[in-house]
């Protein structure tokens, strides 16, 4: 009613109040944040993520050196001095878990950033140029996606060697496929949108159209993919390290700890709880945040 | 009449599809002079929008075949480079789209979109472009333009959105504005206002308007000249008075009879045009309207020969023009 009378050109006296009430001028990000905040699970996820980041940043200053080993105690259950217990080398499990979380987050974030850059660029190129460029790139992506993930990762890491850098590269090189597909789909969709056509009809240069009108169109699914991607990267890193091809001793890794502790399971079952919980918490946190973002940003096709 | 801005001669536009070539536009002539309001009327698929998009070179290069001549001042737009076309689009010829909800980008504020367009053509500072945006929003009658400029399209009503779209199109003072069904997506109550606004604001800036519509009613009070299109060809053209006072093509007559009139006494029945619009994949032979035409006759060759417009002023493309006129005189329409 109010809107109708405004469009008739009559300036209402209480127009200011009406506009303020309608939440006018609120940006997409503000809207999304409001929706995100109302989502309890998403906020739990955000809490977990913030907690993990604090652990990764501050934690190392509070715990012992993970590479100093006790000469006296091995495979000891949690005590006041060693709240998470002691492993078979005499290392403090708490210190290892904290440093493991730090390394996991570092690897997860770095791999995801790399993966997103590759995926967005490749997807944008395929979606923008179309035709045979698109056909060539997307068939390649399809073939890669057809290979079981762990096999693909194994192949990469065999070539790249072991260690942190190799793990980051392997994760990035195997994870960009989904991002590229999503970005390309978004580009194809956006190219047909009327406002892209309108921008063209009003003489906006193509490069600007690509950055300002098409890229924002894929921004939301990419944000969701980043959040989910960090979670999956952490899980994949743990898997690779568990299999012995990922992060190598003495670098602290949750996956490697689980592999080690599972052979000590009969004698010290309690040890497995902590690195396991840390992995579960990390993955859960990022997945919940991703899910919350998906709902808050109203992304349908990721 | 002022200086000639645009002249389209023998324009043919075809699209190659898997089922063969769809010849959407089959020889259209159209001229627009400075400051003029020219309407193109026709039903869906008559080729009116395709013609407009061809002027701006907006059809995808692949699979589109464009023949004929589109002359803008003394320049052949069909031969123009993409860079030159970009200057023309928005800078010299601007377009207002049918549905402002989809033609405005929802992730940017209305102001940012106008600023972007102004700066694409004129450069200059952001602040200057922003001032221009506010000025234009004011010009099209949007209240509180200084606040509205920072709002998103979804915060505007339909009519306001189309006003913003018009403000955007006019922001670089184009010499010609092409409005493609500018009011179809709007409420009936605001249609008339938006159209009036379009015409009055272009008048203020001295821009010509090419108004594309399927609604003969909306052009009556606004346009100087009108061309009626059917199946990719102009079947009747003339000044608004000529066409409304003496519609001389059976199709134009059909359009007028199917239009509710406010000034009639209510006894007039609305008479729809029978039949279906033709498929442009295989248009009827001869005059494309003959399968639906009450005047079609074998001896006139309606089904065999393609009629051309018979005059420069009030031209009609019909083999039976004399008979149609005779009937008109009889009935007294």
């Amino acid at each position: 009613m109010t809107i109708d009378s405004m469009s008739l050109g009559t300036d209402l006296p209480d127009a200011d109040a009406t506009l303020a009430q309608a939440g006018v001028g609120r940006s997409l990000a503000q809207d999304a944040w409001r929706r995100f905040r109302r989502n309890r699970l998403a906020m739990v996820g955000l809490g977990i993520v913030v907690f993990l980041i604090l652990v990764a940043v501050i934690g190392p200053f509070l715990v012992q050196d993970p590479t100093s080993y006790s000469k006296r105690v091995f495979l000891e259950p949690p005590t006041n001095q060693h709240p998470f217990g002691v492993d078979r080398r005499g290392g403090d499990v708490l210190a290892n878990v904290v440093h493991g979380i730090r390394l996991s987050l570092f690897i997860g974030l770095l791999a995801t950033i790399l993966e997103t850059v590759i995926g967005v660029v490749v997807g944008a190129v395929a979606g923008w140029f179309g035709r045979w460029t698109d056909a060539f790139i997307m068939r390649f992506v399809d073939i890669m996606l057809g290979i079981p993930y762990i096999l693909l990762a194994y192949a990469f890491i065999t070539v790249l060697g072991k260690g942190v850098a190799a793990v980051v590269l392997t994760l990035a090189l195997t994870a960009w496929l989904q991002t590229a597909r999503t970005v390309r789909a978004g580009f194809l969709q956006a190219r047909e949108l009327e406002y892209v056509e309108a921008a063209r009809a009003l003489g906006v240069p193509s490069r600007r159209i690509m950055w300002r009108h098409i890229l924002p169109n894929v921004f939301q699914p990419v944000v969701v993919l980043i959040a989910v991607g960090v979670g999956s990267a952490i899980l994949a890193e743990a898997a690779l390290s568990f299999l012995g091809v990922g992060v190598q001793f003495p670098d602290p890794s949750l996956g490697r700890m689980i592999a080690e502790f599972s052979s000590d399971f009969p004698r010290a079952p309690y040890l497995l709880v902590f690195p396991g919980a840390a992995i579960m918490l990390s993955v859960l946190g990022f997945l919940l945040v991703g899910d919350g973002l998906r709902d808050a940003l109203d992304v349908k096709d990721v | 009449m002022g200086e000639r801005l645009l002249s389209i001669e023998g324009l043919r536009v075809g699209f190659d599809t898997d089922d063969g070539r769809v010849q959407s536009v089959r020889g259209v002539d159209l001229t627009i002079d400075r400051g003029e309001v020219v309407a193109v009327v026709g039903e869906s698929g008559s080729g009116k929008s395709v013609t407009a998009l061809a002027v701006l070179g907006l059809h995808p290069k692949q699979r589109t075949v464009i023949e004929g001549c589109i002359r803008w001042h003394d320049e052949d737009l069909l031969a123009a480079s993409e860079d030159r076309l970009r200057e023309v689009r928005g800078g010299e010829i601007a377009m207002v789209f049918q549905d402002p909800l989809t033609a405005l980008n929802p992730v940017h504020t209305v102001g940012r979109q106008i600023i972007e367009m102004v700066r694409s053509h004129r450069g200059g500072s952001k602040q200057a472009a922003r001032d221009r945006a506010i000025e234009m929003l004011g010009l099209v009658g949007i209240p509180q333009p200084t606040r509205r400029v920072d709002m998103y399209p979804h915060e505007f009503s339909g009519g306001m959105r189309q006003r913003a779209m018009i403000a955007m199109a006019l922001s670089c003072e184009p010499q010609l504005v092409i409005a493609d069904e500018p009011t179809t997506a709007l409420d009936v109550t605001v249609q008339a206002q938006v159209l009036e606004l379009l015409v009055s604001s272009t008048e203020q800036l001295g821009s010509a308007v090419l108004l594309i519509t399927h609604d003969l009613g909306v052009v009556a009070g606004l346009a100087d000249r009108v061309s009626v299109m059917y199946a990719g060809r102009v079947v009747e053209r003339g000044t608004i008075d000529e066409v409304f006072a003496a519609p001389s093509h059976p199709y134009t007559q059909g359009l007028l009879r199917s239009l509710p009139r406010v000034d009639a006494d209510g006894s007039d029945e609305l008479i729809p045009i029978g039949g279906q619009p033709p498929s442009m994949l295989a248009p009827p032979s001869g005059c494309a309207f003959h399968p639906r035409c009450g005047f079609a006759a074998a001896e006139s060759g309606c089904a065999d020969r393609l009629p051309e417009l018979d005059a420069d002023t009030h031209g009609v493309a019909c083999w039976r023009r004399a008979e149609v006129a005779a009937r008109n005189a009889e009935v007294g329409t």
Side-chain angles (χ1 to χ4, degrees), chain B residues 310-322:
Chain B
D310 57 2
D312 278 341
T313 49
H314 186 187
V316 179
C318 178
W319 295 119
R320 308 271 293 166
R321 185 172 185 177

Side-chain angles (χ1 to χ4, degrees), chain B residues 118-193:
Chain B
V118 170
R119 295 189 72 201
S120 297
H121 288 288
R122 299 184 160 179
S125 71
K126 238 179 203 157
Q127 189 54 46
R130 189 184 153 85
D131 292 343
R132 177 73 181 155
I134 293 170
E135 182 193 341
M136 292 309 299
L137 290 177
L139 179 81
V140 297
I142 289 178
Q144 300 182 292
T146 45
R147 296 196 51 177
R148 286 280 175 178
V149 74
D150 292 321
M151 292 189 199
Y152 289 87
H154 71 267
E155 297 171 300
F156 280 48
S157 70
M160 296 274 266
R161 251 179 242 138
Q162 194 57 298
R163 282 166 191 253
M165 196 69 220
I166 291 171
M168 189 157 147
L170 293 179
S171 58
C172 294
E173 299 185 19
Q175 298 159 35
L176 172 65
V177 176
I178 299 177
D180 189 359
E181 307 250 5
T183 58
T184 310
L186 303 182
D187 275 352
V188 182
T189 47
V190 295
Q191 283 187 359
Q193 295 165 24

Side-chain angles (χ1 to χ4, degrees), chain A residues 247-271:
Chain A
V247 175
Q248 301 297 308
F249 183 80
D251 287 332
S253 157
L254 299 172
R256 207 201 69 228
M257 287 164 75
I258 289 183
E260 201 180 295
F261 294 168
S262 42
S263 57
D264 297 327
F265 184 75
R267 287 167 60 201
Y270 42 85
L271 286 182

Side-chain angles (χ1 to χ4, degrees), chain A residues 231-253:
Chain A
S232 346
I234 290 174
L235 194 61
E237 180 271 319
L240 287 176
S241 301
F242 179 83
L243 293 173
V245 292
V247 175
Q248 301 297 308
F249 183 80
D251 287 332
S253 157

Side-chain angles (χ1 to χ4, degrees), chain A residues 73-138:
Chain A
V73 279
F74 308 95
L75 294 179
E76 195 194 55
T79 56
N80 275 343
Q81 215 193 340
H82 304 287
F84 285 10
V86 177
D87 67 15
R88 70 162 102 156
R89 291 193 182 87
D92 178 43
V93 174
L94 173 64
N96 271 289
V97 167
V98 166
H99 278 86
I101 288 174
R102 179 180 161 107
L103 190 63
S104 277
L105 283 187
F106 172 76
I107 290 177
L109 284 172
L110 197 61
T112 306
I113 291 170
L114 261 176
E115 169 255 304
T116 304
V117 171
I118 301 173
V120 168
V121 170
V122 173
V125 165
W128 181 256
F129 291 103
R131 308 231 275 170
W132 66 266
T133 318
D134 176 46
F136 180 80
I137 292 176
M138 291 330 284

